[in-house]
Amino acid sequence: MPDKSVLFKIRRQSNPGAQAHWEEFELAWHPGMNVISSMMEIARNPVTRDGKQTTPITYDSNCLEEVCGSCAMLINGRARMACSALVDNLEKPIVLEPLSKFPVIRDLAVDRSVLFENLKRVQAWVPVDGTYDLGSGPRLTMKEQEAAYPLSRCISCCCCMEVCPQFNEQTGFVGAATISQVRLFNTHPTGAALKHERLLALMGDGGIQECGYAQNCVEACPKDIPLTRSISEVGGQVMKQAIGDLFRQ
Ligand code: SF4
Ligand code: SF4
Ligand code: FES
């Protein structure tokens, strides 16, 4: 090893049912290294620190610029994106683990489909599908666009769910990302057609009332999405609708 090296301690698991174990890798330091580029280096030469030949680390990544959301993992115990985690800014040894609240597929790759199921549950889309020309939609003012843009930056990384004390099997809580997408689509003039159904989906078990407002989510979000603001706003919409529905009965 050259003078300067970087030590990685990585939690490995060969399949969803296998026992997890740790392996250590020592890489030569070079400027600009990040966690994903280090995984690529290990893939080129998968040999552990003590000289044992092993398999490359399995992990998800795609864009390498914090846009696709796929590379979320625990880095030194913190849920964050591996492609923007610069080695020079991390404490050593660098400890890598898969997100803890999602089923492990292999090594650092986890199954995050629960978020996509939750987005389907609240119909997080603008309902414009059809076989005929619907014409142009209503125009959004600049003010509406500016309000929607921060919410549209969600990359489905699931960091907000990983750090949320309420996101667990007992509560079945949908989590902050889904609630924030409800806010986004409820404020869209065409998306608002499904507002009632979306808010209904957030009532009852696993709904918005499970949020304890601990605010871990907003701290962890790599895209600085105003999640607690979304939770307050959507919570108000749910409450208003529940009271209205009661009086309409
Ligand atoms: S405010 Fe707290 S309980 Fe609510 S979604 Fe965020 S982290 Fe979870
Ligand atoms: S709200 Fe933020 S932390 Fe949560 S999935 Fe979206 S980008 Fe990730
Ligand atoms: S690889 Fe796309 S966000 Fe990291």
Side-chain angles (χ1 to χ4, degrees), residues 36 59-72 81-84 155 157 223:
I36 291 293
Y59 59 93
D60 285 320
S61 78
N62 190 356
C63 69
L64 306 182
E65 54 179 354
E66 215 178 66
V67 169
C68 75
S70 65
C71 68
M81 312 315 294
C83 65
S84 56
I155 55 175
C157 64
K223 306 311 280 186

PDB file of all heavy atoms in Angstrom, residues 36 59-72 81-84 155 157 223, ligand 3:
ATOM      1  N   ILE A  36     -18.850   5.660  -4.098  1.00  0.00           N
ATOM      2  CA  ILE A  36     -19.157   4.817  -5.270  1.00  0.00           C
ATOM      3  C   ILE A  36     -17.897   4.550  -6.099  1.00  0.00           C
ATOM      4  O   ILE A  36     -17.670   3.415  -6.546  1.00  0.00           O
ATOM      5  CB  ILE A  36     -20.257   5.470  -6.149  1.00  0.00           C
ATOM      6  CG1 ILE A  36     -21.606   5.458  -5.409  1.00  0.00           C
ATOM      7  CG2 ILE A  36     -20.393   4.738  -7.491  1.00  0.00           C
ATOM      8  CD1 ILE A  36     -22.250   4.110  -5.168  1.00  0.00           C
ATOM      9  N   TYR A  59     -24.141  -3.105  -4.991  1.00  0.00           N
ATOM     10  CA  TYR A  59     -24.777  -1.861  -4.538  1.00  0.00           C
ATOM     11  C   TYR A  59     -25.562  -1.316  -5.722  1.00  0.00           C
ATOM     12  O   TYR A  59     -25.333  -1.726  -6.857  1.00  0.00           O
ATOM     13  CB  TYR A  59     -23.708  -0.830  -4.082  1.00  0.00           C
ATOM     14  CG  TYR A  59     -22.733  -0.480  -5.184  1.00  0.00           C
ATOM     15  CD1 TYR A  59     -22.961   0.622  -6.019  1.00  0.00           C
ATOM     16  CD2 TYR A  59     -21.623  -1.269  -5.430  1.00  0.00           C
ATOM     17  CE1 TYR A  59     -22.083   0.916  -7.056  1.00  0.00           C
ATOM     18  CE2 TYR A  59     -20.747  -0.983  -6.473  1.00  0.00           C
ATOM     19  CZ  TYR A  59     -20.983   0.113  -7.275  1.00  0.00           C
ATOM     20  OH  TYR A  59     -20.135   0.390  -8.314  1.00  0.00           O
ATOM     21  N   ASP A  60     -26.460  -0.397  -5.456  1.00  0.00           N
ATOM     22  CA  ASP A  60     -27.200   0.254  -6.539  1.00  0.00           C
ATOM     23  C   ASP A  60     -26.601   1.615  -6.816  1.00  0.00           C
ATOM     24  O   ASP A  60     -26.246   2.344  -5.880  1.00  0.00           O
ATOM     25  CB  ASP A  60     -28.678   0.448  -6.155  1.00  0.00           C
ATOM     26  CG  ASP A  60     -29.460  -0.848  -6.230  1.00  0.00           C
ATOM     27  OD1 ASP A  60     -29.226  -1.612  -7.181  1.00  0.00           O
ATOM     28  OD2 ASP A  60     -30.290  -1.086  -5.331  1.00  0.00           O
ATOM     29  N   SER A  61     -26.515   1.992  -8.073  1.00  0.00           N
ATOM     30  CA  SER A  61     -26.148   3.361  -8.440  1.00  0.00           C
ATOM     31  C   SER A  61     -26.464   3.527  -9.917  1.00  0.00           C
ATOM     32  O   SER A  61     -26.587   2.547 -10.646  1.00  0.00           O
ATOM     33  CB  SER A  61     -24.677   3.655  -8.180  1.00  0.00           C
ATOM     34  OG  SER A  61     -23.874   3.098  -9.181  1.00  0.00           O
ATOM     35  N   ASN A  62     -26.584   4.755 -10.330  1.00  0.00           N
ATOM     36  CA  ASN A  62     -26.868   4.990 -11.746  1.00  0.00           C
ATOM     37  C   ASN A  62     -26.313   6.335 -12.180  1.00  0.00           C
ATOM     38  O   ASN A  62     -25.318   6.424 -12.868  1.00  0.00           O
ATOM     39  CB  ASN A  62     -28.381   4.886 -12.003  1.00  0.00           C
ATOM     40  CG  ASN A  62     -28.726   4.888 -13.464  1.00  0.00           C
ATOM     41  OD1 ASN A  62     -27.859   5.038 -14.316  1.00  0.00           O
ATOM     42  ND2 ASN A  62     -29.992   4.736 -13.788  1.00  0.00           N
ATOM     43  N   CYS A  63     -26.922   7.434 -11.683  1.00  0.00           N
ATOM     44  CA  CYS A  63     -26.599   8.757 -12.232  1.00  0.00           C
ATOM     45  C   CYS A  63     -25.225   9.273 -11.814  1.00  0.00           C
ATOM     46  O   CYS A  63     -24.603  10.041 -12.534  1.00  0.00           O
ATOM     47  CB  CYS A  63     -27.664   9.754 -11.798  1.00  0.00           C
ATOM     48  SG  CYS A  63     -27.617  10.097 -10.029  1.00  0.00           S
ATOM     49  N   LEU A  64     -24.774   8.888 -10.621  1.00  0.00           N
ATOM     50  CA  LEU A  64     -23.516   9.376 -10.019  1.00  0.00           C
ATOM     51  C   LEU A  64     -23.517  10.885  -9.781  1.00  0.00           C
ATOM     52  O   LEU A  64     -22.459  11.500  -9.686  1.00  0.00           O
ATOM     53  CB  LEU A  64     -22.299   8.964 -10.874  1.00  0.00           C
ATOM     54  CG  LEU A  64     -22.180   7.470 -11.181  1.00  0.00           C
ATOM     55  CD1 LEU A  64     -20.914   7.191 -11.974  1.00  0.00           C
ATOM     56  CD2 LEU A  64     -22.193   6.640  -9.903  1.00  0.00           C
ATOM     57  N   GLU A  65     -24.701  11.488  -9.700  1.00  0.00           N
ATOM     58  CA  GLU A  65     -24.753  12.932  -9.415  1.00  0.00           C
ATOM     59  C   GLU A  65     -25.964  13.290  -8.559  1.00  0.00           C
ATOM     60  O   GLU A  65     -26.565  14.327  -8.731  1.00  0.00           O
ATOM     61  CB  GLU A  65     -24.716  13.747 -10.708  1.00  0.00           C
ATOM     62  CG  GLU A  65     -25.770  13.359 -11.712  1.00  0.00           C
ATOM     63  CD  GLU A  65     -25.724  14.192 -12.979  1.00  0.00           C
ATOM     64  OE1 GLU A  65     -24.941  15.145 -13.031  1.00  0.00           O
ATOM     65  OE2 GLU A  65     -26.492  13.884 -13.906  1.00  0.00           O
ATOM     66  N   GLU A  66     -26.333  12.402  -7.647  1.00  0.00           N
ATOM     67  CA  GLU A  66     -27.414  12.638  -6.688  1.00  0.00           C
ATOM     68  C   GLU A  66     -28.730  13.037  -7.354  1.00  0.00           C
ATOM     69  O   GLU A  66     -29.378  14.000  -6.952  1.00  0.00           O
ATOM     70  CB  GLU A  66     -26.988  13.707  -5.669  1.00  0.00           C
ATOM     71  CG  GLU A  66     -27.540  13.444  -4.285  1.00  0.00           C
ATOM     72  CD  GLU A  66     -27.112  14.447  -3.257  1.00  0.00           C
ATOM     73  OE1 GLU A  66     -27.495  15.617  -3.366  1.00  0.00           O
ATOM     74  OE2 GLU A  66     -26.388  14.071  -2.325  1.00  0.00           O
ATOM     75  N   VAL A  67     -29.073  12.292  -8.384  1.00  0.00           N
ATOM     76  CA  VAL A  67     -30.329  12.566  -9.089  1.00  0.00           C
ATOM     77  C   VAL A  67     -31.238  11.333  -9.131  1.00  0.00           C
ATOM     78  O   VAL A  67     -32.460  11.450  -9.038  1.00  0.00           O
ATOM     79  CB  VAL A  67     -30.047  13.068 -10.534  1.00  0.00           C
ATOM     80  CG1 VAL A  67     -31.315  13.107 -11.364  1.00  0.00           C
ATOM     81  CG2 VAL A  67     -29.434  14.469 -10.497  1.00  0.00           C
ATOM     82  N   CYS A  68     -30.655  10.143  -9.241  1.00  0.00           N
ATOM     83  CA  CYS A  68     -31.501   8.952  -9.415  1.00  0.00           C
ATOM     84  C   CYS A  68     -31.984   8.386  -8.085  1.00  0.00           C
ATOM     85  O   CYS A  68     -32.983   7.687  -8.028  1.00  0.00           O
ATOM     86  CB  CYS A  68     -30.769   7.878 -10.206  1.00  0.00           C
ATOM     87  SG  CYS A  68     -29.494   7.017  -9.272  1.00  0.00           S
ATOM     88  N   GLY A  69     -31.287   8.655  -7.007  1.00  0.00           N
ATOM     89  CA  GLY A  69     -31.720   8.211  -5.680  1.00  0.00           C
ATOM     90  C   GLY A  69     -31.394   6.774  -5.346  1.00  0.00           C
ATOM     91  O   GLY A  69     -31.776   6.287  -4.283  1.00  0.00           O
ATOM     92  N   SER A  70     -30.685   6.065  -6.228  1.00  0.00           N
ATOM     93  CA  SER A  70     -30.532   4.620  -6.007  1.00  0.00           C
ATOM     94  C   SER A  70     -29.420   4.241  -5.038  1.00  0.00           C
ATOM     95  O   SER A  70     -29.414   3.144  -4.508  1.00  0.00           O
ATOM     96  CB  SER A  70     -30.303   3.916  -7.345  1.00  0.00           C
ATOM     97  OG  SER A  70     -29.086   4.331  -7.917  1.00  0.00           O
ATOM     98  N   CYS A  71     -28.440   5.129  -4.792  1.00  0.00           N
ATOM     99  CA  CYS A  71     -27.241   4.713  -4.058  1.00  0.00           C
ATOM    100  C   CYS A  71     -27.316   4.982  -2.558  1.00  0.00           C
ATOM    101  O   CYS A  71     -26.277   4.984  -1.889  1.00  0.00           O
ATOM    102  CB  CYS A  71     -26.005   5.385  -4.651  1.00  0.00           C
ATOM    103  SG  CYS A  71     -26.000   7.169  -4.379  1.00  0.00           S
ATOM    104  N   ALA A  72     -28.530   5.189  -2.024  1.00  0.00           N
ATOM    105  CA  ALA A  72     -28.649   5.451  -0.581  1.00  0.00           C
ATOM    106  C   ALA A  72     -28.156   4.249   0.216  1.00  0.00           C
ATOM    107  O   ALA A  72     -28.462   3.105  -0.110  1.00  0.00           O
ATOM    108  CB  ALA A  72     -30.099   5.761  -0.228  1.00  0.00           C
ATOM    109  N   MET A  81     -26.440   9.569   0.378  1.00  0.00           N
ATOM    110  CA  MET A  81     -26.152   9.101  -0.968  1.00  0.00           C
ATOM    111  C   MET A  81     -24.649   8.821  -1.106  1.00  0.00           C
ATOM    112  O   MET A  81     -23.819   9.683  -0.804  1.00  0.00           O
ATOM    113  CB  MET A  81     -26.572  10.156  -2.009  1.00  0.00           C
ATOM    114  CG  MET A  81     -27.965  10.726  -1.819  1.00  0.00           C
ATOM    115  SD  MET A  81     -29.227   9.496  -1.481  1.00  0.00           S
ATOM    116  CE  MET A  81     -29.237   8.617  -3.016  1.00  0.00           C
ATOM    117  N   ALA A  82     -24.327   7.638  -1.611  1.00  0.00           N
ATOM    118  CA  ALA A  82     -22.915   7.245  -1.699  1.00  0.00           C
ATOM    119  C   ALA A  82     -22.164   8.007  -2.791  1.00  0.00           C
ATOM    120  O   ALA A  82     -20.966   8.229  -2.685  1.00  0.00           O
ATOM    121  CB  ALA A  82     -22.820   5.745  -1.953  1.00  0.00           C
ATOM    122  N   CYS A  83     -22.894   8.437  -3.848  1.00  0.00           N
ATOM    123  CA  CYS A  83     -22.188   9.081  -4.962  1.00  0.00           C
ATOM    124  C   CYS A  83     -21.739  10.497  -4.612  1.00  0.00           C
ATOM    125  O   CYS A  83     -20.846  11.036  -5.258  1.00  0.00           O
ATOM    126  CB  CYS A  83     -23.049   9.085  -6.224  1.00  0.00           C
ATOM    127  SG  CYS A  83     -24.549  10.061  -6.096  1.00  0.00           S
ATOM    128  N   SER A  84     -22.352  11.101  -3.582  1.00  0.00           N
ATOM    129  CA  SER A  84     -21.932  12.452  -3.201  1.00  0.00           C
ATOM    130  C   SER A  84     -21.165  12.440  -1.876  1.00  0.00           C
ATOM    131  O   SER A  84     -20.907  13.495  -1.305  1.00  0.00           O
ATOM    132  CB  SER A  84     -23.142  13.381  -3.121  1.00  0.00           C
ATOM    133  OG  SER A  84     -24.093  12.856  -2.228  1.00  0.00           O
ATOM    134  N   ILE A 155     -36.034  12.291  -4.985  1.00  0.00           N
ATOM    135  CA  ILE A 155     -35.355  11.294  -5.816  1.00  0.00           C
ATOM    136  C   ILE A 155     -35.655   9.864  -5.334  1.00  0.00           C
ATOM    137  O   ILE A 155     -34.950   8.920  -5.707  1.00  0.00           O
ATOM    138  CB  ILE A 155     -33.831  11.551  -5.866  1.00  0.00           C
ATOM    139  CG1 ILE A 155     -33.217  11.606  -4.457  1.00  0.00           C
ATOM    140  CG2 ILE A 155     -33.531  12.847  -6.629  1.00  0.00           C
ATOM    141  CD1 ILE A 155     -31.686  11.731  -4.430  1.00  0.00           C
ATOM    142  N   CYS A 157     -35.077   8.282  -2.635  1.00  0.00           N
ATOM    143  CA  CYS A 157     -33.918   7.582  -2.057  1.00  0.00           C
ATOM    144  C   CYS A 157     -34.284   6.815  -0.794  1.00  0.00           C
ATOM    145  O   CYS A 157     -33.586   5.890  -0.403  1.00  0.00           O
ATOM    146  CB  CYS A 157     -32.817   8.585  -1.751  1.00  0.00           C
ATOM    147  SG  CYS A 157     -33.254   9.810  -0.485  1.00  0.00           S
ATOM    148  N   LYS A 223     -32.151  16.358  -0.740  1.00  0.00           N
ATOM    149  CA  LYS A 223     -32.614  17.384  -1.673  1.00  0.00           C
ATOM    150  C   LYS A 223     -33.276  18.557  -0.945  1.00  0.00           C
ATOM    151  O   LYS A 223     -33.940  19.381  -1.586  1.00  0.00           O
ATOM    152  CB  LYS A 223     -33.595  16.775  -2.700  1.00  0.00           C
ATOM    153  CG  LYS A 223     -33.060  15.569  -3.454  1.00  0.00           C
ATOM    154  CD  LYS A 223     -31.678  15.758  -4.050  1.00  0.00           C
ATOM    155  CE  LYS A 223     -31.654  16.509  -5.339  1.00  0.00           C
ATOM    156  NZ  LYS A 223     -30.266  16.518  -5.920  1.00  0.00           N
TER     157      LYS A 223
HETATM  158  S1  FES B   3     -26.003   7.212  -8.159  1.00  0.00           S
HETATM  159 FE1  FES B   3     -27.810   8.360  -8.509  1.00  0.00          FE
HETATM  160  S2  FES B   3     -28.123   9.371  -6.627  1.00  0.00           S
HETATM  161 FE2  FES B   3     -26.230   8.356  -6.328  1.00  0.00          FE
END
